[in-house]
Amino acid sequence: MAAILESAWLYLITNFSDFQLASIGTFIVHESVFFLFGLPFIFLERTGWLSKYKIQAKTNSPAAQGKCIIRLLMYHCGVNLPLMIVSYPVFKQMGMRSSLPLPSWKVVFGQILFYFIVEDFVFYWGHRILHTKWLYKNVHSVHHEYATPFGLTAEYAHPAEILFLGFATVIGPAITGPHLMTLWLWMTLRLMETVEAHCGYHFPWSPSNFLPLYGGAYFHDYHHRLLYTKSGNYSSTFTYMDWIFGTDKGFRNLEAIKKAEN
């Protein structure tokens, strides 16, 4: 497996420049993972398949789904791509490389674990700040246009929020200066997590059923249903920040009531 991966990587670095891989290549990886993982949830909503696992009975209209896709393409091409291009010198300065040899799995695992920890901390506070009255009204309310989220709404947000919370995703890699492959793997995992958190379905195989402190769709869906002043559940991937600062009390109390009723 390692030999196959190294051969594939050798092909990339032989045929494309470092800049092309780090900017255009990263953009292609982002778009591929995001839409391939997110589009099936639109299909599920429209067909009603697996509806018994849907968290909210309400669904989004095809027009609302189409609006989301169009704006996402505009944001991605108008904000994400230029940002990836201009940030290339910064990441190079901080040690990012694309050359062989590839990093060991221990290095990759350690760095990605670090990224999750840093991202959870920074995202929590950034997200909580976005729920203050002025920022919510002028910035974060765009993301909350969809009270019933579906996978692709994960990145449906005001351009200022894309920059603001995007910082949480890149600060870890900026600190460690990872191999480009590690950066792509981190981006893939983070995209899959945020799409799942916004998918609107709680499946038996959802990660939150197996991973301790993992938020997931059921945890985050509560955040979208409530008014901005009462929502809580601000965490990104893992929920320990909400637990530490008590911003998940409303959610926990509701769960306790449901269990008592059953």
Side-chain angles (χ1 to χ4, degrees):
M1 182 63 183
I4 295 173
L5 187 57
E6 288 208 353
S7 296
W9 199 263
L10 179 61
Y11 173 83
L12 289 176
I13 61 177
T14 301
N15 292 276
F16 302 97
S17 70
D18 200 42
F19 171 76
Q20 288 173 326
L21 290 173
S23 54
I24 308 301
T26 300
F27 181 74
I28 292 172
V29 171
H30 176 278
E31 297 302 284
S32 300
V33 174
F34 181 72
F35 283 105
L36 286 175
F37 194 58
L39 283 172
F41 294 108
I42 288 183
F43 174 78
L44 291 180
E45 267 207 342
R46 292 193 180 186
T47 62
W49 287 11
L50 301 178
S51 58
K52 66 179 180 179
Y53 299 121
K54 199 169 187 311
I55 299 169
Q56 297 186 46
K58 181 182 176 183
T59 59
N60 294 279
S61 68
Q65 293 172 338
K67 173 189 173 184
C68 177
I69 293 173
I70 291 171
R71 289 203 179 180
L72 281 171
L73 291 172
M74 292 172 58
Y75 292 160
H76 288 176
C77 294
V79 179
N80 290 9
L81 179 57
L83 189 60
M84 291 174 185
I85 292 173
V86 301
S87 62
Y88 170 74
V90 177
F91 276 92
K92 285 295 291 182
Q93 186 67 29
M94 293 186 173
M96 186 189 75
R97 66 180 182 88
S98 61
S99 58
L100 289 172
L102 297 176
S104 70
W105 69 267
K106 291 181 181 180
V107 170
V108 173
F109 178 81
Q111 288 184 336
I112 289 180
L113 178 62
F114 174 70
Y115 301 160
F116 270 115
I117 294 171
V118 171
E119 200 273 342
D120 275 331
F121 179 84
V122 177
F123 183 97
Y124 173 85
W125 288 111
H127 191 190
R128 192 167 172 178
I129 290 170
L130 284 171
H131 275 265
T132 55
K133 188 173 182 180
W134 189 90
L135 282 173
Y136 182 89
K137 179 181 178 181
N138 293 281
V139 178
H140 194 49
S141 60
V142 174
H143 180 65
H144 279 269
E145 285 180 20
Y146 292 90
T148 306
F150 54 95
L152 295 182
T153 59
E155 292 195 345
Y156 182 88
H158 191 285
E161 179 174 342
I162 294 173
L163 296 174
F164 189 46
L165 291 184
F167 176 72
T169 303
V170 302
I171 186 171
I175 292 171
T176 65
H179 192 280
L180 183 59
M181 185 200 70
T182 307
L183 183 64
W184 285 0
L185 179 58
W186 158 240
M187 184 173 64
T188 297
L189 293 173
R190 180 70 182 96
L191 284 170
M192 292 176 69
E193 181 279 320
T194 191
V195 169
E196 193 272 335
H198 289 83
C199 76
Y201 291 82
H202 185 65
F203 301 113
W205 56 86
S206 294
S208 55
N209 293 327
F210 308 102
L211 295 178
L213 298 177
Y214 186 91
Y218 191 72
F219 183 84
H220 192 67
D221 197 88
Y222 173 88
H223 176 82
H224 275 262
R225 293 199 306 270
L226 270 67
L227 295 173
Y228 80 93
T229 54
K230 301 178 180 179
S231 58
N233 290 20
Y234 301 117
S235 293
S236 176
T237 304
F238 297 97
T239 63
Y240 61 89
M241 292 293 290
D242 276 299
W243 179 78
I244 291 171
F245 293 99
T247 45
D248 62 349
K249 286 183 179 178
F251 174 73
R252 300 301 174 196
N253 290 339
L254 181 61
E255 289 303 291
I257 292 170
K258 287 181 179 179
K259 286 183 179 180
E261 290 176 347
N262 294 332

